[in-house]
Amino acid sequence: MKKYLLLLALAALSACNPSYHLTTRTANRIGVDSLAATSDSSVANFLQPYRQGLDKTMNEVLAHSTGRIEKSQPEGPLNDLLTDALLKQAIQRCGKSIDCSHLNYGGIRSNLPEGNITTGSIFEVMPFDNQLIVLTVTGEMLQQLLNHFAKGNKLVVGGLRAKIHNEQVQSVAFTNGRTLQPNETYTIVLSDYVANGGDDAGFLKNPLKSENINYLMRDALLDYFRQQGKTGQPINPVSDGRISIE
């Protein structure tokens, strides 16, 4: 929470004093909770409304889970849930079919708790401001992506099932009924980090088409869990076996 408060405070100070500019600067890390103990509480008083508003936002309950939702290798309930969520929200956003989704395993920064899933929970899982990108690729490039992330059991996907042997994807079955053919074209939604070659995925820099749908991954997840909460049905943390190792 402290880092969000600091950003809010700096933004507010800048807005209140547009004619001022920095000539020198020094920085020290000061915990917001410790400000009240200082001799001058004016900064603490200034930050208090922002803290109250932030706490209210971060504590908003989006949905409920019947158990802890954890990531795992080669597959985990959180892996499946997040990629399914991103695929669903991207399809809603674009208004057109998308074949599959991908999420880099290292980008999942936390697990989700049993019970209340809050806005703060989603920020912990997805703290970075990554954009969702829809790539149009050949089947050959998609196969390369799957094989790349199958190494080390880091393949996290939605919209398909994959069988892996010796860290290579041997067969793929899309949930929309398609099969993977080298010369056909496919759409995949993934982070701008990976789409731009992150995680050693430089081979993705030359797709047939790249579309930024102006949708933060974190916002997509917030929308998804908020929609799930409105159904009144809790989330059951299960894996569906989409990744199998032979």
Side-chain angles (χ1 to χ4, degrees), residues 142-177:
L142 180 55
Q143 179 77 56
Q144 188 176 1
L145 180 148
L146 297 175
N147 286 339
H148 177 71
F149 288 100
K151 296 176 182 178
N153 293 326
K154 294 182 179 180
L155 183 60
V156 182
V157 288
L160 61 82
R161 303 176 71 86
K163 293 182 179 180
I164 300 173
H165 180 69
N166 289 336
E167 297 191 328
Q168 295 288 296
V169 174
Q170 300 298 316
S171 66
V172 174
F174 293 89
T175 56
N176 62 11

Side-chain angles (χ1 to χ4, degrees), residues 8-224:
L8 286 169
L10 291 174
L13 287 169
S14 175
C16 292
N17 301 281
S19 62
Y20 295 157
H21 63 277
L22 290 174
T23 56
T24 60
R25 61 183 179 181
T26 59
N28 290 295
R29 184 181 296 273
I30 301 175
V32 173
D33 291 337
S34 67
L35 290 173
T38 65
S39 58
D40 184 356
S41 62
S42 59
V43 176
N45 291 335
F46 174 79
L47 289 175
Q48 190 61 28
Y50 297 101
R51 178 173 187 172
Q52 291 173 343
L54 186 62
D55 285 346
K56 182 178 180 181
T57 298
M58 289 296 167
N59 291 328
E60 177 193 358
V61 176
L62 306 175
H64 300 271
S65 175
T66 60
R68 184 173 170 84
I69 311 175
E70 299 183 332
K71 72 174 188 178
S72 186
Q73 295 172 279
E75 183 186 4
L78 188 59
N79 310 27
D80 295 356
L81 180 62
L82 295 182
T83 48
D84 287 349
L86 293 176
L87 181 58
K88 179 180 178 180
Q89 296 306 125
I91 290 172
Q92 288 184 6
R93 183 82 163 191
C94 296
K96 61 183 180 182
S97 176
I98 299 173
D99 292 306
C100 58
S101 60
H102 170 270
L103 184 59
N104 57 312
Y105 185 80
I108 307 173
R109 290 307 177 120
S110 182
N111 297 308
L112 287 173
E114 179 179 0
N116 292 341
I117 296 175
T118 65
T119 298
S121 304
I122 303 304
F123 268 77
E124 291 176 2
V125 168
M126 195 68 56
F128 308 113
D129 290 337
N130 289 117
Q131 295 279 347
L132 281 176
I133 304 294
V134 177
L135 296 184
T136 302
V137 299
T138 63
E140 183 179 10
M141 183 176 285
L142 180 55
Q143 179 77 56
Q144 188 176 1
L145 180 148
L146 297 175
N147 286 339
H148 177 71
F149 288 100
K151 296 176 182 178
N153 293 326
K154 294 182 179 180
L155 183 60
V156 182
V157 288
L160 61 82
R161 303 176 71 86
K163 293 182 179 180
I164 300 173
H165 180 69
N166 289 336
E167 297 191 328
Q168 295 288 296
V169 174
Q170 300 298 316
S171 66
V172 174
F174 293 89
T175 56
N176 62 11
R178 298 190 68 185
T179 57
L180 185 57
Q181 302 296 330
N183 297 321
E184 292 187 11
T185 60
Y186 302 84
T187 49
I188 178 170
V189 61
L190 70 173
S191 72
D192 58 342
Y193 169 70
V194 174
N196 291 328
D199 223 346
D200 297 322
F203 55 88
L204 290 176
K205 289 185 177 181
N206 295 300
L208 298 176
K209 182 180 179 182
S210 177
E211 180 183 2
N212 186 333
I213 62 176
N214 298 312
Y215 202 12
L216 289 178
M217 298 178 72
R218 185 175 56 243
D219 288 346
L221 295 177
L222 288 170
D223 289 343
Y224 175 84

